[in-house]
Amino acid sequence: DLTPAVALGTYLASAGCCVTDLDLSHNRMREKTAVEFSVLLADNRSLKKLVMDSNPLGVHGGRRVMIACMGADQAAEGETATYDRPISITLSMNHCAQGVPASMLFDPAEPGGEYVLDMSDPPSQLVVSDLLKLEAMGKGEFVRASMMVDGEPGAFWVPKLSGMMDRPTIPTEGTLRCRYLAAKSTPPSEASLPVHLEAVLKLCFSDQDQTFSAKKRLMGDAIKGGDAVSELQVRSLLGCLTSKAERAGWIV
């Protein structure tokens, strides 16, 4: 809603304004509103400090607010101040949704990271939904202790799914700031049985007089010390088994 922001900006631009410190954090001020507000803010002469934390200002809105707070003591490359303010307004814009939208940077294959999402934006809602599904699959988890919605604790608004068939519950407004920890993937083991153990096992597996249980017991003894069996070695050993029944029994 532009009306409150324009009304406030009109007062700030008036000659009789005497406000020196203004906190507008957690007001859900979006990009279009921020642009309109900044036009009026540029004419203010009394403010010394402005707090805009946790507002989804967007790229253009955030930039316009920063320019509007500039004074003669601060120059931005490519920008020229058109107002006469000797000293810049001290500006705080922590946790504002600026830059490239997080929804455009989301990669399901690499989901870990920090997110700042405008939850009124459908792509952002889809990102949270996908992260919840990944969490339900055991592929990471939200750090709910630090999750915030418009600067307030937000874990309540993004509960865990109890199963993949659950419908995700997510906020549809406000700015969600969260961190997602991706599960560490374990690379395939390159370890293999020592050559002498592999040779013994091959002889045993090829011996038709050896029972299946004896072969399985010998295999267990060979790897109980922590040795790993490579995929190639497994295929080779299974090929030594003398019957389909033995192979099926081993796999089961």
Side-chain angles (χ1 to χ4, degrees):
D1 188 357
L2 289 172
T3 304
V6 170
L8 175 60
T10 300
Y11 171 70
L12 292 174
S14 67
C17 178
C18 57
V19 177
T20 57
D21 294 78
L22 182 61
D23 187 345
L24 294 178
S25 57
H26 313 301
N27 269 283
R28 301 182 185 177
M29 185 181 289
R30 305 192 185 282
E31 189 167 49
K32 183 178 179 181
T33 304
V35 170
E36 294 293 330
F37 176 72
S38 66
V39 172
L40 297 164
L41 175 64
D43 291 327
N44 175 267
R45 298 293 178 271
S46 64
L47 272 180
K48 298 185 181 301
K49 180 179 181 180
L50 175 62
V51 180
M52 298 289 290
D53 297 350
S54 299
N55 283 293
L57 303 177
V59 180
H60 192 46
R63 181 173 176 80
R64 290 295 296 271
V65 170
M66 286 190 285
I67 293 172
C69 289
M70 286 171 52
D73 63 326
Q74 186 179 47
E77 185 177 352
E79 299 290 347
T80 303
T82 58
Y83 44 89
D84 181 22
R85 181 186 295 123
I87 304 297
S88 300
I89 297 172
T90 299
L91 176 64
S92 175
M93 294 174 62
N94 294 319
H95 305 165
C96 287
Q98 300 180 63
V100 178
S103 57
M104 293 177 62
L105 300 176
F106 176 63
D107 180 2
E110 298 288 343
E114 301 279 349
Y115 291 87
V116 180
L117 299 163
D118 178 359
M119 296 311 297
S120 66
D121 183 34
S124 293
Q125 296 172 15
L126 184 60
V127 167
V128 177
S129 177
D130 286 346
L131 287 172
L132 283 169
K133 291 175 182 177
L134 288 172
E135 185 179 48
M137 294 167 62
K139 296 183 178 181
E141 62 179 342
F142 280 106
V143 181
R144 285 179 168 77
S146 62
M147 186 179 288
M148 307 288 281
V149 176
D150 283 345
E152 300 293 332
F156 171 79
W157 300 105
V158 189
K160 286 186 178 182
L161 300 181
S162 58
M164 289 299 296
M165 299 304 293
D166 282 4
R167 185 181 181 86
T169 299
I170 58 177
T172 55
E173 60 180 15
T175 300
L176 172 66
R177 185 179 182 85
C178 59
R179 184 184 181 197
Y180 189 85
L181 298 178
K184 292 183 178 179
S185 58
T186 304
S189 175
E190 296 181 355
S192 59
L193 285 172
V195 175
H196 69 283
L197 281 180
E198 183 181 7
V200 170
L201 284 169
K202 280 186 176 180
L203 287 174
C204 178
F205 276 39
S206 302
D207 188 350
Q208 296 183 21
D209 293 330
Q210 287 281 4
T211 64
F212 174 72
S213 58
K215 294 175 183 180
K216 202 160 189 175
R217 184 170 58 253
L218 181 59
M219 181 67 163
D221 290 342
I223 63 176
K224 69 181 180 180
D227 291 312
V229 185
S230 70
E231 181 180 353
L232 184 62
Q233 287 177 324
V234 169
R235 290 180 181 275
S236 177
L237 291 170
L238 288 177
C240 294
L241 295 176
T242 55
S243 70
K244 291 183 179 179
E246 270 197 327
R247 293 172 189 164
W250 184 272
I251 294 172
V252 171

